[in-house]
Amino acid sequence: MQYQYFCSIEDIGKLHEDIRHQFWNDFLLYTDKNFTESTVLISYQPNTLRKNKIQIDYEIGLNSLDHFTKTSGFRKRVIEAGRYVRFQFKGTLEEYKQFAMKIYFYTLPALGLCRRLGADIERYVSIETDADLMELPKTLEIDYFVPIH
């Protein structure tokens, strides 16, 4: 499923978290919730109509249709080929926000890597949550891929 929204750089932290949570709740309405792995593609683009905002495209998917209870509105998506650097994360949602920022501000520059155009990929390997899916997850295990030259 594909979602899109606009956000200023200053508001990206908290707003991004709230919007993502809503996207996941919407997405889960189409599944049996028994899948073990999911993938998210995130693309950031400038917006010519709203100069102080960036456009964020957020796509959530599964590797097969087996866990979908409703299949309308979905499409097959192939992840763009190319070089990616992989980072592994295991921790809380709050720690994950800091993790993503550190990748861009510290780790990529320290490794001499340059990001290329393309979507970041989050592969959710494990999500620990209560039975109430309306609550934010307690811990996450994520493989995070950044497209590089």
Side-chain angles (χ1 to χ4, degrees), residues 15-29:
L15 180 63
H16 201 47
E17 179 183 321
D18 292 344
I19 289 174
R20 283 176 161 202
H21 184 66
Q22 186 58 53
F23 291 164
W24 274 96
N25 285 334
D26 292 347
F27 176 76
L28 291 172
L29 294 174

Side-chain angles (χ1 to χ4, degrees), residues 96-145:
Y96 182 64
K97 287 189 284 186
Q98 296 304 313
F99 170 80
M101 297 285 266
K102 287 178 185 175
I103 287 173
Y104 282 101
F105 292 121
Y106 303 107
T107 309
L108 290 178
L111 295 173
L113 298 174
C114 184
R115 188 185 191 289
R116 66 174 164 83
L117 290 178
D120 287 7
I121 303 167
E122 295 176 328
R123 186 174 68 194
Y124 288 80
V125 180
S126 173
I127 300 174
E128 179 187 320
T129 186
D130 289 329
D132 182 4
L133 292 171
M134 296 305 287
E135 294 298 317
L136 293 172
K138 292 181 181 180
T139 60
L140 304 168
E141 187 175 340
I142 299 170
D143 289 334
Y144 193 95
F145 299 85

Side-chain angles (χ1 to χ4, degrees), residues 27-38 61-71 74:
F27 176 76
L28 291 172
L29 294 174
Y30 290 85
T31 72
D32 63 11
K33 299 170 191 65
N34 293 320
F35 56 89
T36 55
E37 190 175 297
S38 59
L62 302 176
N63 290 335
S64 77
L65 294 174
D66 295 344
H67 296 288
F68 286 107
T69 56
K70 303 173 188 175
T71 55
F74 291 91

